[in-house]
Amino acid sequence: MTEHFDVAVLGMGPGGEVVAGPLIAAGKRVAVIERELIGGECAYWACIPSKTVLRPAEARTEVHRAAGVSGAEVDWAAAREHRDVMIRHLDDSAQADGYTDQGATVIRGEARLTGPGRIRIGDRELTAEHVVVATGSEAVVPPVEGLEEITAWTNRETYTVRDLPERAVVVGGSAVGIETATFLAGFGVQVVLVHRGERLLDREDPRVGELVHHYLSEGGVQVRLNASAATAHRDGADSVVTLEDGTELAADVVVFGTGRRPRTEGLGLEEAGARLGEHGEVLVDEHCRAGENLWAVGDVTGVLPFTHVAKYQGRIAAAAILGRPRPATYEGIPRVVFADPEVAAAGLTPEQAQQRGIRTAATELDLAQALARPWTFEDDPRGHLGLLADADRGVLIGAWAVGPMAGEWIHQASLAIRTRLPLEVLRDQVAQFPTYHEAYQAALDGLDA
């Protein structure tokens, strides 16, 4: 017997949950379908556990760098216990019960679309007026010869680990690799980070990668650029990676932070009317529509692989389904790497602006030279802010920050970029003294636009 629903949500990570909430509240008959855990990758194996275990070493750094206080040390057993609380001990029963109590139908299992509005989960068949695909993404591990012989981890093993290794090779110099290296080194693991590019975070302003490299090295991480893992083998208890130049790196574990791909394989999306891009992503319009009464949100769309974007797209799709459509815009979305210190960016890089033919003006501010707050916050203060403006329109189009809590104060730039706030309005802002937000006013004074 086929069951019918108003809406079926495939995948209950952040995007799926944000879609489901308002639809349930509006009285829609909703089926939520999840093959693993309600809450998704972010809640159990990525954002939540990673930020939880990054915090202890960050707090220790703050103590060690603050004048007049000392004695902080990290405790892995206590940090691990708190992490397990934060990831609900990999148990989503309370979340499932919560959806059931709200009136949703919770279905466990692998879903496949068999046609427009038609879904099969095992022997169970569903039809739905609207189908939302929110199946997320999965880690990509490069095809390294001998990989099966070594102890190889992705984010899942890294952020559910019980006993930390003594030595680790981290492959990948993007956000995942940098956060992983920061976490492990913070708890005393000897870390070598291997990145195939010429600089870390190579999609950001080059200055950002330079600063991150400096601070990682200062934190004890050995960084090797222009290097790729060619082969791997086991030597006794060691997992050994051989780089393309012949260098061998021995460790207890090799962690791959080498990107993610949309989880679309086997979903039958084409049968439901969706089109897929070259990387398997679901192509969507400005309302997150992928086809007739078919929607997609989050990493599966390949738009921007961030939890906050998945949640944003969830709101966009839910509004459209409820008859209140509004277009999604992606200008100025913040991008944060929870390193030590934090790294944050929003908007365009100089290279992207040049590709668009925009005449730009740029400036960089050393926070310690311009502000009081860094000196009240830590001894030997750190921090830089970079701004990029459209010189003809007189608006901010890009920003980056490397410094304490940068992920918190990047949002001023994000909002300015999204709203196209004139530079003259930004210059007239009155920031609280002493705060890191004052950096914007000081940087704008040096911006020739």
Side-chain angles (χ1 to χ4, degrees):
M1 179 178 176
T2 302
E3 302 167 81
H4 183 72
F5 295 88
D6 296 321
V7 185
V9 182
L10 278 61
M12 286 299 286
E17 290 206 87
V18 170
V19 168
L23 298 175
I24 296 168
K28 299 293 185 182
R29 188 163 185 241
V30 178
V32 298
I33 305 165
E34 175 55 56
R35 71 172 192 166
E36 293 185 298
L37 296 172
I38 294 173
E41 193 82 13
C42 175
Y44 300 96
W45 300 287
C47 318
I48 297 301
S50 65
K51 280 50 179 181
T52 299
V53 296
L54 279 160
R55 178 56 184 156
E58 178 188 54
R60 178 187 59 189
T61 298
E62 290 176 356
V63 168
H64 289 174
R65 296 183 71 89
V69 61
S70 62
E73 295 301 333
V74 295
D75 182 338
W76 169 243
R80 179 184 64 205
E81 181 178 351
H82 183 53
R83 176 207 64 192
D84 290 346
V85 170
M86 292 299 295
I87 64 174
R88 308 162 187 158
H89 299 280
L90 301 180
D91 178 5
D92 69 346
S93 56
Q95 283 64 43
D97 290 345
Y99 280 108
T100 299
D101 291 344
Q102 293 175 61
T105 298
V106 178
I107 301 174
R108 303 285 192 175
E110 293 272 1
R112 178 178 174 80
L113 295 165
T114 57
R118 302 189 66 85
I119 307 162
R120 179 182 289 276
I121 307 102
D123 296 331
R124 196 168 181 174
E125 291 189 359
L126 279 61
T127 59
E129 183 178 345
H130 296 274
V131 175
V132 182
V133 180
T135 48
S137 62
E138 58 193 2
V140 174
V141 177
V144 177
E145 181 185 345
L147 185 66
E148 68 283 355
E149 298 179 20
I150 66 171
T151 302
W153 291 357
T154 65
N155 62 290
R156 289 205 168 193
E157 293 81 11
T158 302
Y159 293 114
T160 55
V161 66
R162 179 164 183 81
D163 297 317
L164 293 175
E166 293 184 3
R167 301 163 299 158
V169 172
V170 176
V171 182
S174 63
V176 174
I178 289 167
E179 288 186 0
T180 300
T182 301
F183 152 52
L184 294 173
F187 280 96
V189 178
Q190 297 177 31
V191 179
V192 179
L193 187 150
V194 175
H195 180 51
R196 65 183 180 181
E198 295 182 357
R199 65 177 188 271
L200 301 174
L201 292 178
D202 42 21
R203 295 183 180 180
E204 300 294 350
D205 187 296
R207 180 67 169 139
V208 174
E210 178 184 323
L211 289 167
V212 172
H213 191 158
H214 169 76
Y215 289 124
L216 275 177
S217 300
E218 189 177 73
V221 176
Q222 182 186 148
V223 179
R224 298 185 64 101
L225 300 177
N226 297 306
S228 297
T231 63
H233 68 274
R234 182 164 293 281
D235 182 7
D238 288 348
S239 291
V240 181
V241 172
T242 303
L243 305 183
E244 290 181 342
D245 66 0
T247 301
E248 290 191 345
L249 301 175
D252 302 305
V253 62
V254 179
V255 185
F256 287 90
T258 43
R260 302 185 67 82
R261 59 173 162 249
R263 188 178 284 136
T264 55
E265 187 175 351
L267 286 179
L269 286 159
E270 294 93 339
E271 295 179 43
R275 294 182 302 115
L276 302 184
E278 62 177 318
H279 301 295
E281 71 275 18
V282 182
L283 301 178
V284 296
D285 68 8
E286 61 186 357
H287 300 292
C288 294
R289 183 184 289 107
E292 185 66 29
N293 291 344
L294 179 65
W295 315 81
V297 302
D299 286 10
V300 77
T301 68
V303 174
L304 287 169
F306 305 127
T307 294
H308 45 294
V309 173
K311 295 171 74 172
Y312 172 60
Q313 290 181 320
R315 298 194 297 272
I316 293 291
I321 292 170
L322 292 172
R324 302 189 293 268
R326 67 180 192 275
T329 60
Y330 301 102
E331 291 184 32
I333 297 289
R335 309 180 294 273
V336 178
V337 183
F338 291 81
D340 187 6
E342 289 183 0
V343 182
L348 303 179
T349 65
E351 182 180 3
Q352 291 168 333
Q354 183 180 29
Q355 290 171 352
R356 298 187 187 192
I358 300 173
R359 188 172 68 89
T360 62
T363 189
E364 179 183 336
L365 182 75
D366 185 323
L367 305 188
Q369 292 182 6
L371 306 181
R373 179 54 175 159
W375 293 94
T376 68
F377 190 81
E378 59 184 1
D379 194 19
D380 189 19
R382 307 162 294 169
H384 294 75
L385 171 67
L387 298 180
L388 183 71
D390 183 322
D392 296 318
R393 292 190 298 152
V395 296
L396 199 65
I397 59 172
W400 59 263
V402 178
M405 300 177 292
E408 306 295 332
W409 45 275
I410 194 63
H411 290 85
Q412 180 165 328
S414 173
L415 183 61
I417 294 166
R418 284 181 71 77
T419 59
R420 300 179 177 88
L421 203 62
L423 293 177
E424 61 214 46
V425 175
L426 282 173
R427 288 187 172 109
D428 194 51
Q429 170 66 20
V430 181
Q432 169 69 41
F433 175 87
T435 64
Y436 283 101
H437 282 272
E438 288 184 284
Y440 288 102
Q441 290 175 298
L444 286 164
D445 286 343
L447 191 63
D448 187 18

